[in-house]
């Protein structure tokens, strides 16, 4: 096929591949095949070993071709090399030579696969620009480019594409049984919704941000760096990363203008692989043959498993998501009035509770953090005649829950007399609620801070804390109903802790012959994630319960 021409055959192949990737072919067909294969390998350990040897040989062949491709494209491996790390991790980057300036790897940015590159591509660029005149979906552009290059014969990107994984460890690729290990968690519901979206089904109340992780392009100092950078993108994640990446626009650091490079370092702060670092790191030498890792950012296991397909045991960046279902508001008394108040306050219907917040709570044992825990309610008091009538609670500096979320819960839990009191308090700012509890126009509308203050004065904390306690308790019940207690998960993990290769972890569930089944990596990751969720749920439930008791005890 000539460059710059996109024939009918290529169009049809690409269309079929896009439809398959988007789920127009039944999603579980692919999962079923993987499940059958895994079962067959479990029952045939010798075949499993033979296949492992074949995979290593195939990986070595791919790696040799890729290294030659890097050299042709002027990628400089100054103090590192790419190696195969096994089936669970794929390829990784390892140090092999000490470099005085700490620059381990240099990649010309014209080799990076970015949305702009796709739009400028002579083959598909014109059609992509026509398709996305109003709004460009960056991820879709890159997926389209990768699929087309994989389908194209004699693609110049073949050595690189051969190195990319064909299966993934995120929940969308789990077998049915593996996915059930997540039941009751936020991630289980997110995976279900994403699978429905991929199949083309309409999901009411879903805006496409299923996992709660928006994709925001980040612009660097001189160039756009979001995308795939061959070589650097084989660096694995570690909490104690030994390298960071930088952009060299002028070539003063690397001698290669308009390039990206890996810098041997102990990072001062974590960086997402797709976000430009804001602070330089202190350079330190890396041991020879040590894996060069970077940080993908301060991400909890929920995000790591969904985006990258792995988890970190005892992850210090773990968090718990608590939300009040929007559809449930319609069932509470005076729903329309409360919806107006929520909108006026810019209240948040969900919150993320990082583990580090517990360091500031009532029971801070085993946690540490330098972060300050939000702002006190005293900062929200306005200068009105009714301001400050409610006494500030003694526990205000120990309350770990975000004020924005508590504001929403106060409004939802509001009783009829409290609703009338809020209306009365807001009359002073010339925007009030009439007898039928609808907003009337006055001199001006109250600000969100003014409305929050009025709601606080009328309601206090007890109603919000009771609702919060109920939400977290329900979350714990959902988690334990489907997979048992936190202790059950601990027992499962303890039985596998002595096995170095997670692919060979034994499950405590024996088959009919009395032999142990093998625990898949996906199952292990699911148990680690859900155990962490149960632990955080238990700890934050304890915080909410204690705060509620104090609130009731102080006469609310």
């Amino acid at each position: 096929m000539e460059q710059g021409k996109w024939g009918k055959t290529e169009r049809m192949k690409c269309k079929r591949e896009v439809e398959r990737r988007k789920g127009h072919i039944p999603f579980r067909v692919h999962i079923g095949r993987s499940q059958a294969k895994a079962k067959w390998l479990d029952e045939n350990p010798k075949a499993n070993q033979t296949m492992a040897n074949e995979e290593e040989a195939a990986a070595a062949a791919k790696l040799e071709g890729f290294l030659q491709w890097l050299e042709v494209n002027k990628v400089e491996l100054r103090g590192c090399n790419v190696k195969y790390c096994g089936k669970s991790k794929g390829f990784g980057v390892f140090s092999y030579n000490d470099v005085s300036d700490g620059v381990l790897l240099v990649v010309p940015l014209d080799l990076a696969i970015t949305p702009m590159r796709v739009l400028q591509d002579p083959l598909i660029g014109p059609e992509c620009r026509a398709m996305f005149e109003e709004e460009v979906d960056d991820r879709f552009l890159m997926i389209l480019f990768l699929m087309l290059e994989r389908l194209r014969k004699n693609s110049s990107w073949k050595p690189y594409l051969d190195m990319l994984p064909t299966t993934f460890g995120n929940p969308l690729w789990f077998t049915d049984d593996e996915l059930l290990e997540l039941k009751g968690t936020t991630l289980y519901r997110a995976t279900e919704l994403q699978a429905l979206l991929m199949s083309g089904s309409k999901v009411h109340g879903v805006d496409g941000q299923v996992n709660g992780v928006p994709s925001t392009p980040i612009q660097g100092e001189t160039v756009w760096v979001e995308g795939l950078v061959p070589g650097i993108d084989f660096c694995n994640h570690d909490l104690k990363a030994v390298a960071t990446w930088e952009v060299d626009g002028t070539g003063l650091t690397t001698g290669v203008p308009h390039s990206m490079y890996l810098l041997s370092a102990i990072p001062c702060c974590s960086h997402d692989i797709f976000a430009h670092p804001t602070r330089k790191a202190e350079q330190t030498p890396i041991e020879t043959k040590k894996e060069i890792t970077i940080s993908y950012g301060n991400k909890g296991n929920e995000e790591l498993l969904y985006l990258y397909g792995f988890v970190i045991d005892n992850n210090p960046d773990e968090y718990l998501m608590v939300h009040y279902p929007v559809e449930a508001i319609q069932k509470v008394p005076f729903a329309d009035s409360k919806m107006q108040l929520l909108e006026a306050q810019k209240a948040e219907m969900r919150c993320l509770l990082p583990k580090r917040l517990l360091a500031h709570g009532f029971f801070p044992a085993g946690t540490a953090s330098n972060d300050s825990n939000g702002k006190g309610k005293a900062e929200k008091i306005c200068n009105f005649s009714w301001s400050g009538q409610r006494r500030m609670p003694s526990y205000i500096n120990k309350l770990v829950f975000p004020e924005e979320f508590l504001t929403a819960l106060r409004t939802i839990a509001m009783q009829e007399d409290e609703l009338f009191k809020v209306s009365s308090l807001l009359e002073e700012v010339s925007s009030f609620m009439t007898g039928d509890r609808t907003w009337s126009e006055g001199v001006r509308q109250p600000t969100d801070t003014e409305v929050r203050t009025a709601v606080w004065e009328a309601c206090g904390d007890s109603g919000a804390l009771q609702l919060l306690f109920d939400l977290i308790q329900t979350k714990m019940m959902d988690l334990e109903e489907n997979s048992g207690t936190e202790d059950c998960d601990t027992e499962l993990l303890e039985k596998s802790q002595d096995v170095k290769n997670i692919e060979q972890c034994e499950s405590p569930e024996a088959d009919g012959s009395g032999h142990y089944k093998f625990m898949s990596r996906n199952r292990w990751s699911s148990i680690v994630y859900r155990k962490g969720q149960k632990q955080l749920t238990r700890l934050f439930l304890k915080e909410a319960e204690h705060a509620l008791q104090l609130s009731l005890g102080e006469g609310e």
Side-chain angles (χ1 to χ4, degrees), residues 205-216:
V206 178
D207 60 2
Q209 189 180 313
V210 176
N211 61 325
V213 184
S215 175
T216 305

Side-chain angles (χ1 to χ4, degrees), residues 87-89 169 174 178 305 308-311 500-505 518-528:
K87 183 179 179 181
S88 62
K89 292 182 67 175
F174 279 16
E178 289 169 344
L305 186 55
Y308 304 105
F310 67 88
V311 297
K500 294 182 179 180
N501 183 359
I502 295 173
E503 300 290 345
Q504 302 296 319
C505 287
F518 289 114
M519 180 188 290
S520 70
R521 179 181 180 83
N522 292 342
R523 187 184 180 201
W524 181 86
S525 297
S526 299
I527 296 173
V528 170

Side-chain angles (χ1 to χ4, degrees), residues 132-317:
F132 303 102
E133 287 182 356
E134 296 183 0
E135 182 179 355
V136 176
D137 187 324
D138 291 351
R139 289 189 177 185
F140 180 78
L141 287 177
M142 295 172 63
I143 291 171
L144 185 63
F145 178 84
L146 292 172
M147 289 194 302
L148 183 61
E149 290 298 327
R150 188 180 288 275
L151 291 169
R152 225 177 77 185
K153 292 183 179 180
N154 302 320
S155 169
S156 61
W157 292 90
K158 187 178 187 307
Y160 172 66
L161 296 175
D162 287 344
M163 293 280 287
L164 299 181
T166 56
T167 60
F168 304 92
N170 74 323
L172 286 172
W173 290 75
F174 279 16
T175 65
D176 290 328
D177 289 340
E178 289 169 344
L179 190 59
L180 285 176
E181 299 289 351
L182 295 173
K183 194 168 184 181
T185 67
T186 302
L187 191 51
Y188 179 82
R189 177 58 176 160
T191 303
E192 279 193 324
L193 292 176
Q194 185 62 52
L196 287 173
L197 291 172
M198 289 172 63
S199 67
S201 302
K202 293 184 179 180
V203 184
H204 297 288
V206 178
D207 60 2
Q209 189 180 313
V210 176
N211 61 325
V213 184
S215 175
T216 305
I218 305 297
Q219 190 173 22
E221 294 175 352
T222 57
V223 292
W224 286 90
V225 295
E226 181 175 358
L228 297 173
V229 184
I232 293 180
D233 57 10
F234 287 108
C235 288
N236 289 311
H237 169 77
D238 198 291
L239 290 174
K240 297 180 179 179
V242 298
T244 186
W245 62 263
E246 304 281 353
V247 174
D248 187 1
T250 63
L252 291 177
T253 302
T254 64
V256 182
H258 204 61
S259 64
M260 180 181 287
Y261 62 96
L262 271 183
L263 181 67
S264 169
I266 297 178
C268 296
C269 59
S270 297
H271 305 306
D272 190 307
I273 188 173
F274 292 130
H276 194 279
T278 57
R279 286 184 287 175
K280 297 287 183 179
E282 177 186 354
Q283 292 188 16
T284 56
I286 299 178
E287 299 176 13
T288 303
K289 297 183 180 180
K290 179 180 178 65
E291 183 174 7
I292 298 173
T293 56
I294 60 177
S295 173
Y296 294 177
N298 299 329
K299 292 177 168 57
N301 282 338
E302 191 165 281
E303 195 173 356
L304 288 175
L305 186 55
Y306 190 89
L307 295 177
Y308 304 105
F310 67 88
V311 297
I312 299 173
D313 202 4
N314 297 317
N315 189 345
D317 298 314

Side-chain angles (χ1 to χ4, degrees), residues 18-19 30 64 87 110 122 186 192 200 207 220 244 292 306 349 419 424 458 506:
V18 170
E19 289 179 348
H30 309 291
E64 182 179 358
K87 183 179 179 181
D110 59 10
T186 302
E192 279 193 324
D207 60 2
T244 186
I292 298 173
Y306 190 89
M349 299 301 293
L419 188 60
S424 176
E506 289 183 337

